[in-house]
Amino acid sequence: MTLPTPSTPSTPEALAVEQAHSRLEGLTVIDVRTPGEYASGHLPGALNIPLDHIRKALPELRQAAARGDLLIVCASGARSQKACALLAEQGVSAATLTGGTEAWAAAGHELSRPLACETRASWSMERQVRLTAGALVLLGLLLGLVVHPAFQILSAGIAGGLVFSALTNTCGLAVLLAKLPHNRPRPAGLDTALAALRNR
C-alpha cells in the first residue's frame, strides 16, 4: 500500500473494505468517531481517538505511522478523510476506509463491541443530527404558529444549514453535538487508547 505524501493532503488514499479486511492484521486502525459510536461497533483492534482529539494524539500517531500503515475509519468516511488530511498536513501518512464502518458491516465483516458494563449506550452521530435538526424545525414551526411567525426563521435556518452541510460535506451541528458529555471520551479511555497506540 502506497500512502499519500504530505504534498497531497486533500486526497488521502482510500482502501476498499476487502482491501482493508485482507490487510487488517498489518494495519493500525484508528476510529475517529465519538466514544458512543465506537461502542456501538468498531473494526476489530481499532483504537478510539475522536476526530477533535487527533491533534492531541499526533505524537503517538506519528510514531505508529513510522512503524507501519495507519487506517483511519469513521461511520461513512467523511470524518476519516478530514482526519487523514489533518495528519497529512503534519507529515503523517494515513489511509481512509471507503464507506467507513457502515460499509464494513454491510460487507458482513465482524464488528467488535465492548461489554455493556464498559460503556454508555449512545446513538450514532448521524441519528443524533437527524433528531436535533428535526426537533428544531418542528419547534420553529410550532412557535411560529402559536407565538409569532418570526419563529419560523429557526426552521428556515436549520433547512439552510442542512443544505450547506450537504454541499460542503461538513456538519456544524455534528461538531456541536460531539461536545456534549455523552459524546466525549472519558479521560481514562483516551489515555488508554494513546497508551495502546504507543505500545504497538
Side-chain angles (χ1 to χ4, degrees):
M1 176 171 69
T2 303
L3 293 174
T5 64
S7 61
T8 58
S10 61
T11 55
E13 180 175 346
L15 291 184
V17 167
E18 296 309 322
Q19 288 177 302
H21 184 260
S22 67
R23 299 186 53 122
L24 192 60
E25 291 295 323
L27 297 171
T28 297
V29 183
I30 306 297
D31 191 319
V32 296
R33 297 176 298 163
T34 67
E37 292 176 290
Y38 173 81
S40 70
H42 54 270
L43 273 66
L47 298 174
N48 185 215
I49 301 176
L51 180 59
D52 59 348
H53 286 76
I54 288 292
R55 289 189 187 278
K56 179 178 180 181
L58 190 58
E60 289 83 0
L61 291 169
R62 189 184 309 279
Q63 291 172 6
R67 293 190 300 266
D69 294 330
L70 287 181
L71 178 66
I72 312 295
V73 301
C74 63
S76 61
R79 282 176 281 178
S80 61
Q81 287 181 359
K82 290 178 187 174
C84 285
L86 191 155
L87 290 172
E89 290 171 3
Q90 302 298 319
V92 179
S93 296
T96 182
L97 178 64
T98 302
T101 308
E102 293 172 1
W104 179 273
H109 298 308
E110 175 189 4
L111 290 176
S112 296
R113 292 177 176 85
L115 298 174
C117 62
E118 296 176 356
T119 187
R120 298 167 285 195
S122 182
W123 289 357
S124 71
M125 185 55 66
E126 180 187 355
R127 188 177 181 191
Q128 292 180 55
V129 167
R130 290 198 310 260
L131 173 69
T132 305
L136 288 173
V137 167
L138 288 175
L139 178 64
L141 291 174
L142 180 63
L143 291 175
L145 290 172
V146 176
V147 180
H148 191 278
F151 280 104
Q152 293 179 0
I153 293 173
L154 174 62
S155 300
I158 295 297
L162 291 173
V163 171
F164 179 80
S165 175
L167 292 175
T168 61
N169 198 27
T170 61
C171 187
L173 186 54
V175 171
L176 291 175
L177 290 173
K179 297 184 182 302
L180 294 177
H182 67 277
N183 283 325
R184 302 294 292 175
R186 294 183 176 97
L190 185 59
D191 290 343
T192 301
L194 293 178
L197 189 55
R198 284 192 293 267
N199 294 330
R200 286 197 173 191

